[in-house]
Amino acid sequence: MKFIAYNVRDDEIPFIEKWGKDHQIEVAYTTTTLTPETIEEAKGYDGISGLQTIAYTKELFIAFRKLGIKYLALRNVGVDNLDLQAAADNGVKITNVPAYSPESIAEFAVTMALFLSRKVGYMQQQLRQKQEFHFSPDFMGRLISEQTVGIVGTGRIGQHAIRLFKGLGAKVIAYDKYPIKDTHGEFHYTTSFQDLVRQSDIISLHMPATPDNYHEFNHETFELMKNTALFINTARGSIVDTADLIFALQSGEIAGAGIDTIENESADLQDSRSTKQVTDADVIKLSMMPNVLITPHSAFHTTRSVMNMVNISMDHLKAMVEGKPVSDIVD
Ligand code: NAD
Ligand code: COI
């Protein structure tokens, strides 16, 4: 058996090579994004390991069938970019890695909340743009322990985020479309999504992107938020109307934002060897604002995550080819 991994970053290579050596299985890798055009590179391989936020389309799954490739093991959590019907129609079995390190993403959301609450962006802007190095009233921050944090989505990542924010002394409230029955008194759910939006000083998103929540954070939602509120999105870009977010920040409807995931992420975003200049006008606008922290979909990116993403994805491919039971089937 032999496998090929697409969209491989340099930091994944040692883990891929080690897995191949440990299992005596050939694993090729490429920095290329998996598309109907690039799948030709996988000819002759038994399975593909993938990681990307651009779409896995119907045309791609037709190409899988034509090449006789039956297995796609994602190295990531999110499955919003897959045409699952087309995968099933073309006999492609898919796995993901649902829990490679939920704490990595939760810690990043807290990092963003701390950065924004303590106005670090304003300090950086004053020094970098004006070469001034002194106090300013703009730098006065707020303690997390004096804020109400609203967590949307109380799954693996959301629950870690709740623990971390509670550890810093925050009052935590939550909303989930499918709430947990027993929260063991750790946090309480608001009666509605709108209640969470109105009451929170910090809102942090931890739900998947679904057709139902496309642009759920739009002009109306930002208007409901406190003018002093901070908004953090490490979930998926499609949940937020980016133009409305920019308006909310510019008009003072909200006080700041941490944006790790943004609409229409390009294939280039995941190319660790890219030297291209950013051209997305929204990314450029957001990057100029002192009350915004914008990062290239990096909340996941820790050593623990990368090791688990590679190892679990490759284990899934091996088990599928061997016809053994696999836990993380996506259907
Ligand atoms: P999970 O499945 O464990 O939890 C998701 C929770 O969201 C569940 O409790 C579910 O009931 C809830 N939910 C579903 N639809 C909802 C809606 N419309 N409104 C409110 N709640 C809803 O998933 P997870 O492991 O916690 O991951 C959550 C998301 O985080 C992933 O789907 C992915 O999009 C994103 N993610 C981002 C990164 C990153 O690097 N930025 C990394 C991993 C995952
Ligand atoms: C995920 O695991 O779903 C992520 O968002 C990480 C990313 C590298 C695709």
Side-chain angles (χ1 to χ4, degrees), residues 18-182:
K18 181 170 186 319
W19 188 93
K21 202 168 158 208
D22 288 351
H23 293 83
Q24 291 293 298
I25 290 175
E26 180 188 333
V27 187
Y29 49 83
T30 169
T31 57
T32 316
T33 299
L34 183 58
T35 66
E37 293 74 40
T38 63
I39 195 173
E40 273 298 313
E41 240 183 286
K43 198 172 181 174
Y45 288 90
D46 299 295
I48 296 178
S49 164
L51 179 148
Q52 62 196 45
T53 51
I54 68 156
Y56 294 98
T57 60
K58 181 176 174 182
E59 293 67 36
L60 178 66
F61 290 117
I62 291 170
F64 264 81
R65 181 169 45 77
K66 285 190 181 150
L67 289 172
I69 302 172
K70 295 188 183 129
Y71 308 109
L72 169 64
L74 309 181
R75 302 197 292 285
N76 64 298
V77 178
V79 294
D80 51 283
N81 55 339
L82 293 154
D83 185 335
L84 291 177
Q85 187 59 54
D89 292 347
N90 289 285
V92 181
K93 220 168 168 177
I94 302 173
T95 55
N96 71 342
V97 188
Y100 50 77
S101 174
E103 58 272 45
S104 295
I105 300 94
E107 276 189 13
F108 202 79
V110 174
T111 303
M112 288 185 140
L114 286 165
F115 178 99
L116 296 166
S117 290
R118 296 306 300 269
K119 309 278 187 75
V120 180
Y122 289 86
M123 300 175 198
Q124 288 186 320
Q125 190 191 50
Q126 181 184 271
L127 186 56
R128 288 180 183 165
Q129 289 186 4
K130 298 200 271 176
Q131 284 80 52
E132 290 179 23
F133 194 53
H134 57 80
F135 290 162
S136 159
D138 288 346
F139 301 168
M140 189 164 64
R142 292 182 71 187
L143 288 172
I144 299 287
S145 60
E146 290 173 355
Q147 305 193 61
T148 297
V149 178
I151 300 290
V152 189
T154 55
R156 296 175 185 88
I157 299 170
Q159 287 181 43
H160 272 283
I162 289 172
R163 269 176 231 130
L164 294 174
F165 279 116
K166 283 190 69 172
L168 290 168
K171 175 183 168 192
V172 176
I173 56 177
Y175 171 80
D176 196 298
K177 201 170 173 190
Y178 311 99
I180 301 164
K181 286 208 173 66
D182 188 0

Side-chain angles (χ1 to χ4, degrees), residues 256-329:
I259 303 300
D260 185 52
T261 49
I262 189 156
E263 293 184 273
N264 310 317
E265 286 176 4
S266 68
D268 188 48
L269 181 135
Q270 269 150 11
D271 179 356
S272 66
R273 294 181 185 176
S274 173
T275 54
K276 281 189 200 152
Q277 298 268 296
V278 58
T279 53
D280 183 321
D282 290 339
V283 172
I284 294 169
K285 263 187 218 159
L286 289 163
S287 73
M288 307 281 207
M289 298 183 190
N291 54 344
V292 171
L293 179 58
I294 179 161
T295 49
H297 203 138
S298 299
F300 77 100
H301 204 181
T302 63
T303 321
R304 170 82 59 85
S305 292
V306 176
M307 182 180 74
N308 287 339
M309 289 162 105
V310 168
N311 289 344
I312 298 170
S313 147
M314 301 313 300
D315 287 348
H316 284 342
L317 276 182
K318 180 170 178 286
M320 286 194 284
V321 170
E322 288 172 344
K324 293 190 176 149
V326 189
S327 51
D328 301 321
I329 295 287

